[in-house]
Amino acid sequence: ASEVPVGGGSIFQQLAEACSEAGGALPIGTGPTVGVCGCVMNGGLSGDFGKRLGMLGQRVVKMEIVLAAGTIKTLTPNSSGEDGDLFSACLGAGSAMGVVTSLTFKMDVETSFSTGGSIVVACVNKASAKTFLSKALQFMKESVLSTPSCSMEIAIVSGYTIICNFMFYDTFDSKADTF
């Protein structure tokens, strides 16, 4: 797998394009205008890809950070002593530890995913949204969580619209459209 560097002001659309050009895959989430460093430093969750690739923060192999005293540090998971502790502490700490100016990620191969898709349901009110969500979560519990080769993310947007995103990995051996 190859690595991809990301500058401090980069957004997920740019990271997705860099991954595509490099033939790689990362668990980057679904918001194209979300800032990469901010998301990673606050946890880096992605329901679509997390089941296969983990959280985005787990893919960081190097970070450059400016500490409150103005010290610039380059940290890796293999940093020793306090720097190793600082690397681990930064992932999930938001901006509490300093300002991250760059991250480098280790990518998986793009062929780890075979297909994906979304189901969009416009519910008319809170009651219908609750009914659909209950069924969607039951489906996730019974079918998706027990199938290691696919994942499902549920997002609720304005007006009680629910989006269910599905990702099928290279190990999925059924038909995605009938799943």
Side-chain angles (χ1 to χ4, degrees):
S2 59
E3 296 180 354
V4 60
V6 175
S10 299
I11 59 175
F12 278 121
Q13 178 67 39
Q14 294 165 318
L15 180 55
E17 291 168 1
C19 288
S20 178
E21 290 171 12
L26 286 171
I28 58 172
T30 56
T33 60
V34 173
V36 176
C37 290
C39 181
V40 170
M41 302 320 288
N42 285 291
L45 300 174
S46 171
D48 283 344
F49 306 104
K51 195 172 184 180
R52 173 73 182 256
L53 299 178
M55 294 186 301
L56 190 54
Q58 294 171 309
R59 295 268 172 185
V60 176
V61 294
K62 184 168 75 172
M63 88 172 57
E64 185 175 275
I65 186 168
V66 180
L67 303 176
T71 307
I72 299 171
K73 294 227 176 213
T74 300
L75 307 171
T76 70
N78 300 322
S79 295
S80 60
E82 290 180 1
D83 284 355
D85 292 341
L86 182 59
F87 178 88
S88 297
C90 285
L91 298 172
S95 59
M97 306 305 264
V99 177
V100 174
T101 57
S102 70
L103 295 170
T104 300
F105 299 98
K106 182 178 180 181
M107 294 185 289
D108 203 324
V109 293
E110 68 182 347
T111 56
S112 58
F113 304 105
S114 63
T115 190
S118 299
I119 297 172
V120 179
V121 178
C123 298
V124 295
N125 55 37
K126 189 176 185 178
S128 63
K130 282 183 173 182
T131 300
F132 179 79
L133 283 170
S134 177
K135 291 177 182 178
L137 288 169
Q138 189 66 31
F139 176 78
M140 182 186 282
K141 177 183 174 185
E142 293 173 359
S143 300
V144 177
L145 294 177
S146 62
T147 306
S149 56
C150 72
S151 64
M152 176 181 172
E153 175 184 60
I154 300 173
I156 304 168
V157 295
S158 63
Y160 301 112
T161 299
I162 300 168
I163 304 169
C164 296
N165 296 311
F166 292 88
M167 184 59 61
F168 299 95
Y169 310 119
D170 56 352
T171 55
F172 188 73
D173 58 5
S174 298
K175 292 186 178 238
D177 58 347
T178 59
F179 182 75

